[in-house]
Amino acid sequence: PNYAFIFLAMLFMFVCTSPMLLMMLAGVGGGWSHAMRSESFRNRPWTLAIGGVQVPLGSNMKMLIMALPTLLFLHLFMGPVLWSAALCSGGVSLAHAALRDREDVDKMDDSEDRDGDSSWSRGRVRELP
């Protein structure tokens, strides 16, 4: 959960520093809000006409039809931002793993040895003094 939070914080930071992305997300959110509040969208059935065949579309199919262009639009604009946030948060996570305090791990290993639990059963290798 901590690393997911770091990723989401980086993504939020990248989106907030780009006016174009802010306007794009506001437009997508506004479009969805307008569509969901509209009584005619929720109550009026859509029909797909192929040749002479009429196929009524339910509310789930309407959501799918609207979600696909939205996802494509978000992917085109936010794809590079998602990759940048993933790489930056991955770098922060790697730096955290490399620089974390090793005394916590040593204390945990010593307390487990006093309880009589063998570290060999879990496949751990300890450095000899």
Side-chain angles (χ1 to χ4, degrees), residues 26 43 72 79 100 111:
N43 297 332
L72 180 66
R100 69 186 179 107
S111 66

Side-chain angles (χ1 to χ4, degrees), residues 31-42:
W32 271 95
S33 174
H34 178 71
M36 297 307 294
R37 289 183 181 178
S38 172
E39 288 292 325
S40 64
F41 175 79
R42 283 187 275 153

Side-chain angles (χ1 to χ4, degrees), residues 5-109:
F5 177 76
I6 291 172
F7 169 73
L8 291 175
M10 290 278 185
L11 183 63
F12 181 75
M13 182 187 68
F14 286 154
V15 169
C16 285
T17 58
S18 172
M20 182 189 72
L21 284 177
L22 284 173
M23 288 189 305
M24 186 264 313
L25 287 176
V28 168
W32 271 95
S33 174
H34 178 71
M36 297 307 294
R37 289 183 181 178
S38 172
E39 288 292 325
S40 64
F41 175 79
R42 283 187 275 153
N43 297 332
R44 187 179 55 167
W46 287 1
T47 56
L48 178 64
I50 301 175
V53 178
Q54 300 270 340
V55 178
L57 301 176
S59 61
N60 289 340
M61 191 57 73
K62 287 193 285 186
M63 289 295 173
L64 180 67
I65 289 172
M66 287 183 60
L68 289 176
T70 302
L71 290 175
L72 180 66
F73 186 71
L74 289 175
H75 174 69
L76 289 176
F77 281 97
M78 289 195 64
V81 175
L82 288 172
W83 278 107
S84 296
L87 291 174
C88 286
S89 64
V92 168
S93 299
L94 283 174
H96 174 262
L99 298 175
R100 69 186 179 107
D101 190 15
R102 295 292 299 172
E103 291 178 10
D104 293 338
V105 176
D106 292 338
K107 288 177 188 175
M108 184 180 67
D109 286 342

Side-chain angles (χ1 to χ4, degrees), residues 125-129:
V125 178
R126 295 192 62 194
E127 187 175 321
L128 295 175

